[in-house]
Amino acid sequence: MADWSVCSPEKLMSEAGKYRQMAYVPYSEFSVGAALLFSDGSVIGGCNVENASYGLSICAERAAMLNAVVTGRLRPIAAAVYAGDVPICSPCGACRQFLAEFNHDMEIVMMKSGELFIASLSELLPHKFSL
Ligand code: THU
């Protein structure tokens, strides 16, 4: 269970919303923001960045994790994902595996029908691939 005393799920979701404003989405026009929380209370985020060669597009969650790694933060305790007014936006399968590399037990904060919804990454991706 994440230590929510350092940053509430609501605050983390609001940070994800700020990163969402930076999304580069000329093709899908579907903006996503993600914010990762670390045990010291720091938050690092990212947005989706698309490409004319569609398959090269990067999701917000992976962009956030890349941003974290370059600051030396390798073990997020939670992640929030925000995609605006949609029924639910949960991390895609690739992002689940990518995040699980760093902490399979992190909590994932999502919006479901306008309400916060929290699940652990290990619930969303049981039996992650490992070497
Ligand atoms: N996308 C994310 O950034 N995160 C998700 O969890 C799901 C999908 C992006 C990828 C693409 O830029 C756009 O949303 C539409 O699929």
Side-chain angles (χ1 to χ4, degrees):
M1 195 59 180
D3 172 12
W4 292 113
S5 68
V6 292
C7 174
S8 68
E10 291 79 9
K11 167 81 177 147
L12 192 62
M13 184 57 84
S14 136
E15 290 297 313
K18 290 183 199 165
Y19 282 98
R20 179 175 178 258
Q21 293 172 14
M22 307 310 293
Y24 176 74
V25 290
Y27 305 105
S28 73
E29 297 183 358
F30 188 81
S31 298
V32 185
L36 300 171
L37 175 65
F38 295 83
S39 56
D40 64 356
S42 58
V43 173
I44 305 275
C47 58
N48 51 338
V49 180
E50 298 186 340
N51 190 274
S53 178
Y54 293 176
L56 298 182
S57 299
I58 298 172
C59 294
E61 297 90 325
R62 273 177 287 159
M65 193 63 231
L66 296 175
N67 285 338
V69 169
V70 297
T71 71
R73 292 171 176 85
L74 296 181
R75 194 171 170 80
I77 60 171
V81 188
Y82 187 61
D85 187 19
V86 293
I88 186 168
C89 182
S90 72
C92 76
C95 287
R96 293 176 194 199
Q97 175 67 29
F98 196 90
L99 292 176
E101 175 78 15
F102 298 95
N103 181 6
H104 197 199
D105 294 320
M106 78 174 82
E107 305 278 341
I108 307 291
V109 186
M110 297 157 276
M111 292 286 277
K112 190 176 179 186
S113 309
E115 308 263 316
L116 283 192
F117 169 70
I118 303 179
S120 71
L121 182 54
S122 55
E123 281 177 81
L124 297 180
L125 180 74
H127 314 295
K128 69 163 182 163
F129 175 72
S130 302
L131 285 176

mmCIF file of all heavy atoms in Angstrom, residues 14-47:
data_model
loop_
_atom_site.group_PDB
_atom_site.id
_atom_site.type_symbol
_atom_site.label_atom_id
_atom_site.label_comp_id
_atom_site.label_asym_id
_atom_site.label_seq_id
_atom_site.Cartn_x
_atom_site.Cartn_y
_atom_site.Cartn_z
ATOM 1 N N SER A 14 -4.318 15.542 -9.749
ATOM 2 C CA SER A 14 -4.286 16.925 -10.237
ATOM 3 C C SER A 14 -2.947 17.232 -10.911
ATOM 4 O O SER A 14 -2.889 17.948 -11.920
ATOM 5 C CB SER A 14 -4.624 17.849 -9.060
ATOM 6 O OG SER A 14 -3.799 18.936 -9.002
ATOM 7 N N GLU A 15 -1.871 16.637 -10.408
ATOM 8 C CA GLU A 15 -0.559 16.805 -11.065
ATOM 9 C C GLU A 15 -0.594 16.157 -12.456
ATOM 10 O O GLU A 15 -0.055 16.710 -13.423
ATOM 11 C CB GLU A 15 0.548 16.170 -10.219
ATOM 12 C CG GLU A 15 0.826 16.918 -8.926
ATOM 13 C CD GLU A 15 1.331 18.335 -9.159
ATOM 14 O OE1 GLU A 15 2.241 18.520 -9.984
ATOM 15 O OE2 GLU A 15 0.803 19.263 -8.522
ATOM 16 N N ALA A 16 -1.219 14.991 -12.558
ATOM 17 C CA ALA A 16 -1.327 14.325 -13.860
ATOM 18 C C ALA A 16 -2.065 15.231 -14.848
ATOM 19 O O ALA A 16 -1.714 15.312 -16.030
ATOM 20 C CB ALA A 16 -2.049 12.980 -13.715
ATOM 21 N N GLY A 17 -3.057 15.930 -14.339
ATOM 22 C CA GLY A 17 -3.822 16.859 -15.185
ATOM 23 C C GLY A 17 -2.958 17.992 -15.725
ATOM 24 O O GLY A 17 -3.128 18.432 -16.865
ATOM 25 N N LYS A 18 -2.003 18.438 -14.913
ATOM 26 C CA LYS A 18 -1.104 19.508 -15.381
ATOM 27 C C LYS A 18 -0.205 19.001 -16.510
ATOM 28 O O LYS A 18 0.005 19.683 -17.508
ATOM 29 C CB LYS A 18 -0.241 20.012 -14.222
ATOM 30 C CG LYS A 18 -1.005 20.790 -13.165
ATOM 31 C CD LYS A 18 -0.053 21.306 -12.099
ATOM 32 C CE LYS A 18 -0.813 21.657 -10.841
ATOM 33 N NZ LYS A 18 0.075 21.832 -9.677
ATOM 34 N N TYR A 19 0.314 17.791 -16.326
ATOM 35 C CA TYR A 19 1.177 17.232 -17.379
ATOM 36 C C TYR A 19 0.378 16.972 -18.655
ATOM 37 O O TYR A 19 0.901 17.083 -19.761
ATOM 38 C CB TYR A 19 1.861 15.946 -16.890
ATOM 39 C CG TYR A 19 3.035 16.227 -15.981
ATOM 40 C CD1 TYR A 19 2.901 16.179 -14.599
ATOM 41 C CD2 TYR A 19 4.279 16.556 -16.508
ATOM 42 C CE1 TYR A 19 3.973 16.443 -13.767
ATOM 43 C CE2 TYR A 19 5.356 16.825 -15.698
ATOM 44 C CZ TYR A 19 5.205 16.766 -14.320
ATOM 45 O OH TYR A 19 6.267 17.036 -13.496
ATOM 46 N N ARG A 20 -0.884 16.653 -18.499
ATOM 47 C CA ARG A 20 -1.737 16.381 -19.665
ATOM 48 C C ARG A 20 -1.782 17.581 -20.606
ATOM 49 O O ARG A 20 -1.919 17.427 -21.826
ATOM 50 C CB ARG A 20 -3.139 16.021 -19.174
ATOM 51 C CG ARG A 20 -4.119 15.736 -20.287
ATOM 52 C CD ARG A 20 -5.447 15.263 -19.721
ATOM 53 N NE ARG A 20 -6.400 15.024 -20.772
ATOM 54 C CZ ARG A 20 -7.385 15.865 -21.091
ATOM 55 N NH1 ARG A 20 -7.570 16.982 -20.412
ATOM 56 N NH2 ARG A 20 -8.203 15.578 -22.095
ATOM 57 N N GLN A 21 -1.677 18.771 -20.033
ATOM 58 C CA GLN A 21 -1.748 19.980 -20.866
ATOM 59 C C GLN A 21 -0.600 20.060 -21.867
ATOM 60 O O GLN A 21 -0.654 20.823 -22.831
ATOM 61 C CB GLN A 21 -1.755 21.224 -19.974
ATOM 62 C CG GLN A 21 -3.027 21.333 -19.154
ATOM 63 C CD GLN A 21 -2.947 22.455 -18.125
ATOM 64 O OE1 GLN A 21 -2.072 23.301 -18.176
ATOM 65 N NE2 GLN A 21 -3.866 22.447 -17.186
ATOM 66 N N MET A 22 0.461 19.298 -21.624
ATOM 67 C CA MET A 22 1.630 19.334 -22.508
ATOM 68 C C MET A 22 1.577 18.245 -23.589
ATOM 69 O O MET A 22 2.502 18.134 -24.399
ATOM 70 C CB MET A 22 2.918 19.144 -21.690
ATOM 71 C CG MET A 22 3.080 20.092 -20.526
ATOM 72 S SD MET A 22 2.831 21.814 -20.995
ATOM 73 C CE MET A 22 4.249 22.057 -22.054
ATOM 74 N N ALA A 23 0.521 17.439 -23.600
ATOM 75 C CA ALA A 23 0.454 16.306 -24.546
ATOM 76 C C ALA A 23 0.625 16.783 -25.995
ATOM 77 O O ALA A 23 0.090 17.824 -26.391
ATOM 78 C CB ALA A 23 -0.878 15.573 -24.378
ATOM 79 N N TYR A 24 1.360 15.999 -26.759
ATOM 80 C CA TYR A 24 1.562 16.271 -28.197
ATOM 81 C C TYR A 24 0.778 15.202 -28.952
ATOM 82 O O TYR A 24 1.218 14.059 -29.061
ATOM 83 C CB TYR A 24 3.060 16.212 -28.530
ATOM 84 C CG TYR A 24 3.337 16.374 -30.005
ATOM 85 C CD1 TYR A 24 3.221 17.628 -30.620
ATOM 86 C CD2 TYR A 24 3.677 15.275 -30.797
ATOM 87 C CE1 TYR A 24 3.450 17.772 -31.983
ATOM 88 C CE2 TYR A 24 3.903 15.416 -32.158
ATOM 89 C CZ TYR A 24 3.793 16.666 -32.740
ATOM 90 O OH TYR A 24 4.013 16.818 -34.090
ATOM 91 N N VAL A 25 -0.430 15.569 -29.362
ATOM 92 C CA VAL A 25 -1.365 14.555 -29.895
ATOM 93 C C VAL A 25 -2.031 15.008 -31.201
ATOM 94 O O VAL A 25 -3.249 15.038 -31.299
ATOM 95 C CB VAL A 25 -2.437 14.207 -28.832
ATOM 96 C CG1 VAL A 25 -1.818 13.427 -27.689
ATOM 97 C CG2 VAL A 25 -3.123 15.451 -28.257
ATOM 98 N N PRO A 26 -1.234 15.336 -32.224
ATOM 99 C CA PRO A 26 -1.847 15.813 -33.463
ATOM 100 C C PRO A 26 -2.667 14.745 -34.183
ATOM 101 O O PRO A 26 -3.502 15.077 -35.023
ATOM 102 C CB PRO A 26 -0.643 16.253 -34.314
ATOM 103 C CG PRO A 26 0.504 15.479 -33.771
ATOM 104 C CD PRO A 26 0.227 15.297 -32.306
ATOM 105 N N TYR A 27 -2.465 13.472 -33.876
ATOM 106 C CA TYR A 27 -3.133 12.406 -34.624
ATOM 107 C C TYR A 27 -4.396 11.925 -33.921
ATOM 108 O O TYR A 27 -5.473 11.884 -34.510
ATOM 109 C CB TYR A 27 -2.133 11.259 -34.906
ATOM 110 C CG TYR A 27 -0.925 11.828 -35.606
ATOM 111 C CD1 TYR A 27 0.280 12.020 -34.943
ATOM 112 C CD2 TYR A 27 -1.032 12.291 -36.924
ATOM 113 C CE1 TYR A 27 1.363 12.629 -35.572
ATOM 114 C CE2 TYR A 27 0.040 12.910 -37.565
ATOM 115 C CZ TYR A 27 1.231 13.079 -36.879
ATOM 116 O OH TYR A 27 2.282 13.701 -37.506
ATOM 117 N N SER A 28 -4.290 11.583 -32.654
ATOM 118 C CA SER A 28 -5.486 11.075 -31.961
ATOM 119 C C SER A 28 -6.282 12.194 -31.290
ATOM 120 O O SER A 28 -7.469 12.029 -31.011
ATOM 121 C CB SER A 28 -5.083 10.055 -30.886
ATOM 122 O OG SER A 28 -4.491 10.712 -29.772
ATOM 123 N N GLU A 29 -5.609 13.297 -30.989
ATOM 124 C CA GLU A 29 -6.214 14.377 -30.195
ATOM 125 C C GLU A 29 -6.722 13.863 -28.838
ATOM 126 O O GLU A 29 -7.661 14.402 -28.266
ATOM 127 C CB GLU A 29 -7.319 15.103 -30.970
ATOM 128 C CG GLU A 29 -6.759 15.788 -32.205
ATOM 129 C CD GLU A 29 -7.789 16.591 -32.977
ATOM 130 O OE1 GLU A 29 -8.960 16.596 -32.583
ATOM 131 O OE2 GLU A 29 -7.388 17.197 -33.984
ATOM 132 N N PHE A 30 -6.106 12.802 -28.357
ATOM 133 C CA PHE A 30 -6.467 12.212 -27.057
ATOM 134 C C PHE A 30 -5.303 12.489 -26.094
ATOM 135 O O PHE A 30 -4.267 11.818 -26.130
ATOM 136 C CB PHE A 30 -6.701 10.704 -27.234
ATOM 137 C CG PHE A 30 -7.257 10.013 -26.020
ATOM 138 C CD1 PHE A 30 -8.617 10.058 -25.732
ATOM 139 C CD2 PHE A 30 -6.416 9.305 -25.156
ATOM 140 C CE1 PHE A 30 -9.136 9.406 -24.610
ATOM 141 C CE2 PHE A 30 -6.914 8.654 -24.037
ATOM 142 C CZ PHE A 30 -8.288 8.710 -23.771
ATOM 143 N N SER A 31 -5.476 13.499 -25.275
ATOM 144 C CA SER A 31 -4.398 13.934 -24.383
ATOM 145 C C SER A 31 -4.415 13.147 -23.082
ATOM 146 O O SER A 31 -5.466 12.989 -22.451
ATOM 147 C CB SER A 31 -4.566 15.419 -24.033
ATOM 148 O OG SER A 31 -4.479 16.201 -25.188
ATOM 149 N N VAL A 32 -3.239 12.687 -22.681
ATOM 150 C CA VAL A 32 -3.109 11.929 -21.434
ATOM 151 C C VAL A 32 -1.945 12.516 -20.628
ATOM 152 O O VAL A 32 -0.905 12.877 -21.186
ATOM 153 C CB VAL A 32 -2.838 10.428 -21.703
ATOM 154 C CG1 VAL A 32 -2.836 9.634 -20.393
ATOM 155 C CG2 VAL A 32 -3.860 9.844 -22.679
ATOM 156 N N GLY A 33 -2.148 12.597 -19.331
ATOM 157 C CA GLY A 33 -1.063 12.994 -18.429
ATOM 158 C C GLY A 33 -0.876 11.917 -17.386
ATOM 159 O O GLY A 33 -1.829 11.225 -17.005
ATOM 160 N N ALA A 34 0.351 11.752 -16.936
ATOM 161 C CA ALA A 34 0.641 10.785 -15.869
ATOM 162 C C ALA A 34 1.567 11.440 -14.865
ATOM 163 O O ALA A 34 2.408 12.262 -15.228
ATOM 164 C CB ALA A 34 1.288 9.526 -16.444
ATOM 165 N N ALA A 35 1.377 11.085 -13.593
ATOM 166 C CA ALA A 35 2.243 11.607 -12.537
ATOM 167 C C ALA A 35 2.649 10.450 -11.637
ATOM 168 O O ALA A 35 1.805 9.658 -11.211
ATOM 169 C CB ALA A 35 1.509 12.676 -11.731
ATOM 170 N N LEU A 36 3.932 10.358 -11.379
ATOM 171 C CA LEU A 36 4.486 9.306 -10.523
ATOM 172 C C LEU A 36 4.844 9.903 -9.179
ATOM 173 O O LEU A 36 5.427 10.994 -9.117
ATOM 174 C CB LEU A 36 5.753 8.720 -11.159
ATOM 175 C CG LEU A 36 5.596 8.093 -12.536
ATOM 176 C CD1 LEU A 36 6.971 7.763 -13.111
ATOM 177 C CD2 LEU A 36 4.752 6.835 -12.447
ATOM 178 N N LEU A 37 4.530 9.185 -8.123
ATOM 179 C CA LEU A 37 4.834 9.633 -6.764
ATOM 180 C C LEU A 37 5.958 8.774 -6.178
ATOM 181 O O LEU A 37 5.964 7.545 -6.348
ATOM 182 C CB LEU A 37 3.580 9.494 -5.888
ATOM 183 C CG LEU A 37 3.741 9.796 -4.404
ATOM 184 C CD1 LEU A 37 4.096 11.273 -4.179
ATOM 185 C CD2 LEU A 37 2.460 9.434 -3.650
ATOM 186 N N PHE A 38 6.874 9.433 -5.483
ATOM 187 C CA PHE A 38 8.001 8.747 -4.848
ATOM 188 C C PHE A 38 7.888 8.902 -3.329
ATOM 189 O O PHE A 38 7.183 9.788 -2.836
ATOM 190 C CB PHE A 38 9.321 9.289 -5.414
ATOM 191 C CG PHE A 38 9.443 8.957 -6.880
ATOM 192 C CD1 PHE A 38 8.825 9.764 -7.836
ATOM 193 C CD2 PHE A 38 10.076 7.801 -7.294
ATOM 194 C CE1 PHE A 38 8.857 9.423 -9.188
ATOM 195 C CE2 PHE A 38 10.111 7.460 -8.640
ATOM 196 C CZ PHE A 38 9.506 8.272 -9.582
ATOM 197 N N SER A 39 8.589 8.035 -2.605
ATOM 198 C CA SER A 39 8.393 7.975 -1.143
ATOM 199 C C SER A 39 8.792 9.264 -0.437
ATOM 200 O O SER A 39 8.320 9.534 0.663
ATOM 201 C CB SER A 39 9.139 6.778 -0.545
ATOM 202 O OG SER A 39 10.489 6.863 -0.893
ATOM 203 N N ASP A 40 9.635 10.089 -1.066
ATOM 204 C CA ASP A 40 10.014 11.371 -0.456
ATOM 205 C C ASP A 40 9.010 12.467 -0.776
ATOM 206 O O ASP A 40 9.215 13.629 -0.433
ATOM 207 C CB ASP A 40 11.420 11.787 -0.914
ATOM 208 C CG ASP A 40 11.493 12.045 -2.423
ATOM 209 O OD1 ASP A 40 10.478 11.827 -3.132
ATOM 210 O OD2 ASP A 40 12.562 12.465 -2.900
ATOM 211 N N GLY A 41 7.925 12.103 -1.452
ATOM 212 C CA GLY A 41 6.877 13.075 -1.778
ATOM 213 C C GLY A 41 7.071 13.745 -3.125
ATOM 214 O O GLY A 41 6.219 14.505 -3.573
ATOM 215 N N SER A 42 8.193 13.462 -3.796
ATOM 216 C CA SER A 42 8.402 14.096 -5.101
ATOM 217 C C SER A 42 7.487 13.459 -6.145
ATOM 218 O O SER A 42 7.103 12.281 -6.046
ATOM 219 C CB SER A 42 9.874 14.046 -5.523
ATOM 220 O OG SER A 42 10.325 12.725 -5.578
ATOM 221 N N VAL A 43 7.144 14.282 -7.116
ATOM 222 C CA VAL A 43 6.231 13.863 -8.193
ATOM 223 C C VAL A 43 6.897 14.200 -9.524
ATOM 224 O O VAL A 43 7.381 15.322 -9.714
ATOM 225 C CB VAL A 43 4.884 14.608 -8.089
ATOM 226 C CG1 VAL A 43 3.998 14.306 -9.301
ATOM 227 C CG2 VAL A 43 4.159 14.232 -6.801
ATOM 228 N N ILE A 44 6.948 13.225 -10.415
ATOM 229 C CA ILE A 44 7.511 13.428 -11.755
ATOM 230 C C ILE A 44 6.463 12.930 -12.742
ATOM 231 O O ILE A 44 5.901 11.851 -12.557
ATOM 232 C CB ILE A 44 8.796 12.591 -11.967
ATOM 233 C CG1 ILE A 44 9.830 12.866 -10.881
ATOM 234 C CG2 ILE A 44 9.363 12.820 -13.362
ATOM 235 C CD1 ILE A 44 10.724 14.038 -11.106
ATOM 236 N N GLY A 45 6.215 13.708 -13.785
ATOM 237 C CA GLY A 45 5.152 13.334 -14.711
ATOM 238 C C GLY A 45 5.583 13.306 -16.156
ATOM 239 O O GLY A 45 6.752 13.539 -16.495
ATOM 240 N N GLY A 46 4.610 13.022 -16.983
ATOM 241 C CA GLY A 46 4.839 12.994 -18.415
ATOM 242 C C GLY A 46 3.508 13.039 -19.147
ATOM 243 O O GLY A 46 2.436 12.967 -18.532
ATOM 244 N N CYS A 47 3.612 13.198 -20.453
ATOM 245 C CA CYS A 47 2.404 13.261 -21.298
ATOM 246 C C CYS A 47 2.634 12.362 -22.506
ATOM 247 O O CYS A 47 3.774 11.970 -22.785
ATOM 248 C CB CYS A 47 2.155 14.696 -21.742
ATOM 249 S SG CYS A 47 3.544 15.397 -22.650
#
